[in-house]
Amino acid sequence: MTALIELNGITKVLKGQEQPRTILDGVGLSVHPGESLAIVGRSGSGKSTLLSVLGLFDRPDQGSYLLDGTEISRLPERRAAKLRSSHFGFVFQRFFLLKHLTAAQNVAMALVNGQGWLPRRQRRAKVMAALEEVGIAHLAKNRPAKMSGGEQQRVAIARALVRQPRILLADEPTGALDTETGTLVIDALQGVTARGCALILVTHDRDHAARMGRILHLNEGVLAEQKVAA
Amino acid sequence: MIRLSGRFRSALIIGLQGIRARKTRTLLSMVSLFLGVLAVVVVQAGASIAERALLADMELQRGIDGTKVMGMAPQPRVSEIIMDTVPGRDDAVAVVGVSAIIGEPGVRPVNPNASPFDEIGFYGMPMVCDATGNCREQTPAEAGPEGQAIEVRLTALTGDIRQFKPFRPKSGQWLDFGSVPSMAPRLVLNEEAAKGFERYRVPAEMRVPGASANMTPQLIGVVDDGDYQPRAYVRMDEMANWIPATKLVDPSMGEMNVLMTGDTPVEQVLTSKLKAINAEPYVELINSRKDQEKELALMRLIFLSMAGLVLLIGVAGILNVGLATVGERVEEFALRRAVGTPRALLAGIVLAETLITGLLTAALAIGVSAAALKGVVVLAGNSEPFLQGVVFPWDAGVAGVIAGLIAGVLGGFVPALRAAGIPIATVMRA
């Protein structure tokens, strides 16, 4: 099967310090549709930087990044933004919900982003479907302040899913949650692989990592496969 | 229906959400901008009203724009030609001015030479000329003993002059050129002449040089003609009962004009006839607006510059609030970029917010100015003639909207650039 994502020799050097520091050192990675994988490693090992490169937040200094076989490592920002909108969903450790918006409006934020325009009715239907998918449609009119941490993270997941991305990038999404709520969040994230969306999870939690199809270990900028799920 | 682009709609929706979420900040921005926009609106409205008042006064004295004024030396032969050509026409009115004294016969008027009543003697004594053409001022002894009489400029008209000079009625009525001429000439006074008749009790007897007898005038109305000299308007044909039109001339102090529309053949006919007797007329096309353009533009520029300075202070306020707001919303903007919002739209969101704030402020400033003007007109409209019928000028509203938009763009430009430059990766590591 053709890889959805293909990284080859990705290198990222942190400049602006006394000594330039290599954060990613020739990283190679293939991700297929519907696949789930976890990236683990110590703090500062480059996990978030790798996720930034994967999510087109940042450009690698060297290497190639193929998405559906197309080189995208040097895309201009305008096209990168379009790809982020159409192909990627993001979930972060901090939920980054806007406190002045309701859950539905927070989810709709990903639809009102200048990449095409949906009429209000269609927008609302998509938002409600995404909230339904993570099991919190009944909280659509609630503002973040009236929701628990787990509910807020599920709103963030609904926001990531509302455009039906092909790749979901999650950066320690359970880091601010208790174990039980974290498990529910991982359940919700794993659900997306069933429809062909690839899930890349950055986590410190071994149990959550173990639930992914593959575990990759990042150490000193070098990525290595840790185990293959049976 | 105009279909707005998705990006524009997105900017509007997010901008309005931002304003709703930060009402106090928006209010503070509006407060800082309000005085600036108000200054622009007030200056523009004031300039428009002043221009209107100035032009209205000039219309009274010189005539409305587009009027042609043919002036000529007051001579009997010229008068004869005018009376042969102009009476009975709708597109031209002959105006002949002579001196007239109303009151006791054989006395010196209280205002020799038709001086204004608050400046008696301002025009000196009437001139007398000998056969050789040498002229000098009359002595008081020659003018006779002072008595109860008023001197006015008597202006005889062949038709309704108000189509060229829109006199403002003050009381009574205007001359009716459609009725049968009266033996007792009907006079319409200007306000200065009316002041004299209020101040002095004078008999109703009018003497005009060259008339066969003194007349008994009827005072039928008062108008504002913008003239500081006492003046009385009369139908030419009513004067003709007492004095032939050819004798209704005052070579030393008289006036003889024909006011006409721009396209009348009267000009050509009169010019030809007058040239034939070597009386070259001069013709002036009234264009007060153009004549005053430079002065008005300069006046407006000076005041708008001052208003612009006040507006700049408002822009500094909105810029300050905008920068602080962007600083607080770094995570929001980074998140928006993460979900695919282009940098240009982020800048657009910030600009939309400042533009909406500018427009709201402009609407408020325009509303306050219009209400204040209406209040002033209601309270002082009766005592200040130039305020009568004044409405809020639309160009002041346009200026306010433009000022609001400019302030929005200037105040939002730097915050917009800053918002567009927020890196996603840095923030997502927070």
Side-chain angles (χ1 to χ4, degrees):
Chain A
M1 189 166 36
T2 313
L4 181 58
I5 290 175
E6 185 95 40
L7 298 187
N8 287 304
I10 292 293
T11 300
K12 182 76 186 171
V13 178
L14 197 61
K15 301 174 186 99
Q17 296 179 338
E18 283 181 15
Q19 192 85 26
R21 192 176 142 223
T22 304
I23 305 292
L24 298 175
D25 191 0
V27 168
L29 173 67
S30 291
V31 181
H32 293 87
E35 192 181 9
S36 66
L37 61 90
I39 298 173
V40 295
R42 285 183 302 165
S43 294
S45 59
K47 301 186 300 291
S48 295
T49 303
L50 177 57
L51 215 59
S52 293
V53 171
L54 282 167
L56 303 175
F57 297 174
D58 215 346
R59 285 181 183 174
D61 295 318
Q62 284 177 30
S64 76
Y65 179 176
L66 304 178
L67 179 71
D68 280 333
T70 307
E71 174 62 50
I72 59 166
S73 61
R74 295 283 178 269
L75 278 186
E77 170 54 25
R78 199 163 53 86
R79 286 185 60 198
K82 198 167 186 174
L83 271 186
R84 279 200 296 274
S85 173
S86 60
H87 280 63
F88 293 90
F90 302 95
V91 182
F92 306 98
Q93 179 178 352
R94 287 173 58 197
F95 322 123
F96 290 121
L97 297 185
L98 302 185
K99 61 184 179 187
H100 61 276
L101 302 182
T102 63
Q105 287 171 329
N106 267 291
V107 175
M109 177 204 242
L111 296 173
V112 186
N113 65 353
Q115 306 289 3
W117 179 255
L118 281 179
R120 185 189 293 211
R121 191 176 290 178
Q122 286 181 38
R123 213 161 60 217
R124 186 173 165 73
K126 277 181 176 279
V127 166
M128 290 314 292
L131 287 171
E132 191 73 54
E133 192 174 348
V134 294
I136 52 164
H138 60 288
L139 299 177
K141 290 183 179 172
N142 284 21
R143 290 183 198 280
K146 288 192 173 177
M147 290 188 274
S148 68
E151 287 167 343
Q152 289 188 46
Q153 190 58 299
R154 280 195 277 174
V155 173
I157 294 171
R159 183 179 63 202
L161 297 180
V162 72
R163 274 194 177 264
Q164 299 194 310
R166 299 185 63 198
I167 304 136
L168 186 59
L169 303 173
D171 188 6
E172 300 185 36
T174 60
L177 303 173
D178 60 68
T179 310
E180 195 178 335
T181 311
T183 305
L184 290 172
V185 166
I186 295 297
D187 289 344
L189 288 173
Q190 265 199 318
V192 303
T193 57
R195 64 167 193 233
C197 175
L199 170 65
I200 301 175
L201 173 72
V202 166
T203 184
H204 283 294
D205 191 308
R206 292 182 177 199
D207 292 337
H208 294 156
R211 294 181 60 188
M212 301 297 118
R214 281 196 291 159
I215 298 176
L216 301 167
H217 192 264
L218 194 61
N219 186 26
E220 302 290 323
V222 178
L223 191 67
E225 189 111 1
Q226 190 168 331
K227 88 171 184 191
V228 179
Chain B
M1 185 182 148
I2 301 169
R3 291 193 68 81
L4 304 172
S5 75
R7 209 165 274 195
F8 185 76
R9 289 190 211 192
S10 301
L12 270 185
I13 287 177
I14 300 167
L16 284 171
Q17 282 176 346
I19 285 175
R20 278 217 316 251
R22 281 166 282 274
K23 293 188 187 83
T24 311
R25 289 210 164 193
T26 305
L27 189 67
L28 285 174
S29 296
M30 287 176 69
V31 168
S32 68
L33 194 57
F34 179 75
L35 283 179
V37 179
L38 186 69
V40 172
V41 172
V42 168
V43 164
Q44 187 67 25
S48 292
I49 292 169
E51 180 181 322
R52 212 190 74 138
L54 183 65
L55 287 175
D57 280 347
M58 293 181 81
E59 279 178 353
L60 285 183
Q61 292 169 33
R62 301 181 64 203
I64 59 173
D65 281 3
T67 300
K68 276 186 176 170
V69 180
M70 181 182 276
M72 50 223 99
Q75 296 169 16
R77 289 185 67 193
V78 172
S79 178
E80 198 174 325
I81 289 171
I82 289 173
M83 290 310 136
D84 282 347
T85 313
V86 179
R89 295 197 66 98
D90 291 335
D91 53 0
V93 172
V95 180
V96 177
V98 293
S99 168
I101 296 170
I102 302 171
E104 289 178 334
V107 297
R108 191 172 79 234
V110 293
N111 62 327
N113 248 352
S115 297
F117 292 99
D118 291 328
E119 296 168 89
I120 286 174
F122 184 74
Y123 292 127
M125 295 297 287
M127 302 296 285
V128 284
C129 301
D130 59 24
T132 60
N134 290 327
C135 298
R136 62 173 175 82
E137 266 191 12
Q138 256 184 342
T139 62
E142 287 171 330
E146 188 176 303
Q148 291 299 303
I150 286 171
E151 183 168 350
V152 296
R153 302 297 305 162
L154 185 68
T155 306
L157 307 169
T158 59
D160 195 344
I161 195 176
R162 292 177 305 172
Q163 61 176 309
F164 303 110
K165 293 186 174 184
F167 296 157
R168 301 173 191 135
K170 289 294 167 186
S171 61
Q173 56 196 27
W174 177 246
L175 301 171
D176 177 9
F177 288 88
S179 62
V180 178
S182 169
M183 288 299 288
R186 286 168 287 194
L187 302 186
V188 173
L189 308 176
N190 70 354
E191 286 185 300
E192 187 60 27
K195 189 196 288 181
F197 282 97
E198 267 177 22
R199 204 171 283 181
Y200 305 100
R201 297 179 66 83
V202 297
E205 185 171 337
M206 180 166 77
R207 50 195 156 111
V208 178
S212 55
N214 289 353
M215 296 152 255
T216 305
Q218 305 175 64
L219 307 183
I220 63 166
V222 178
V223 292
D224 176 10
D225 64 353
D227 199 344
Y228 297 104
Q229 200 172 17
R231 193 175 283 274
Y233 296 92
V234 64
R235 278 172 56 172
M236 183 79 80
D237 50 5
E238 289 186 355
M239 289 304 293
N241 292 321
W242 301 92
I243 180 169
T246 49
K247 285 194 173 178
L248 195 65
V249 287
D250 178 355
S252 58
M253 297 290 286
E255 52 195 319
M256 193 168 279
N257 295 314
V258 176
L259 276 62
M260 55 193 129
T261 57
D263 54 356
T264 176
V266 172
E267 180 188 355
Q268 196 181 355
V269 173
L270 273 180
T271 306
S272 305
K273 287 181 176 178
L274 291 169
K275 275 185 178 171
I277 61 164
N278 290 324
E280 189 80 30
Y282 64 89
V283 178
E284 182 190 10
L285 176 64
I286 303 297
N287 196 346
S288 304
R289 187 176 291 275
K290 195 177 174 192
D291 295 346
Q292 296 298 312
E293 219 162 50
K294 271 189 184 169
E295 280 178 43
L296 291 170
L298 183 67
M299 185 176 74
R300 195 173 283 226
L301 186 69
I302 291 168
F303 282 107
L304 271 179
S305 304
M306 287 157 63
L309 282 177
V310 183
L311 187 65
L312 268 185
I313 297 168
V315 169
I318 206 170
L319 175 66
N320 188 23
V321 174
L323 284 174
T325 306
V326 168
E328 274 181 9
R329 295 167 72 185
V330 166
E331 287 181 358
E332 178 193 335
F333 289 127
L335 179 69
R336 288 193 186 280
R337 280 194 64 198
V339 299
T341 307
R343 287 175 194 268
L345 180 55
L346 288 182
I349 291 165
V350 176
L351 274 178
E353 288 182 18
T354 53
L355 282 173
I356 291 169
T357 305
L359 283 177
L360 286 175
T361 310
L364 190 67
I366 292 166
V368 167
S369 308
L373 179 63
K374 187 149 195 163
V376 169
V377 169
V378 168
L379 290 174
N382 289 333
S383 55
E384 296 295 338
F386 79 95
L387 284 174
Q388 286 170 8
V390 166
V391 290
F392 187 73
W394 64 268
D395 51 351
V398 172
V401 171
I402 291 172
L405 287 174
I406 289 173
V409 170
L410 290 180
F413 187 68
V414 176
L417 286 182
R418 196 163 283 189
I422 291 171
I424 324 172
T426 311
V427 177
M428 291 308 153
R429 288 194 196 101

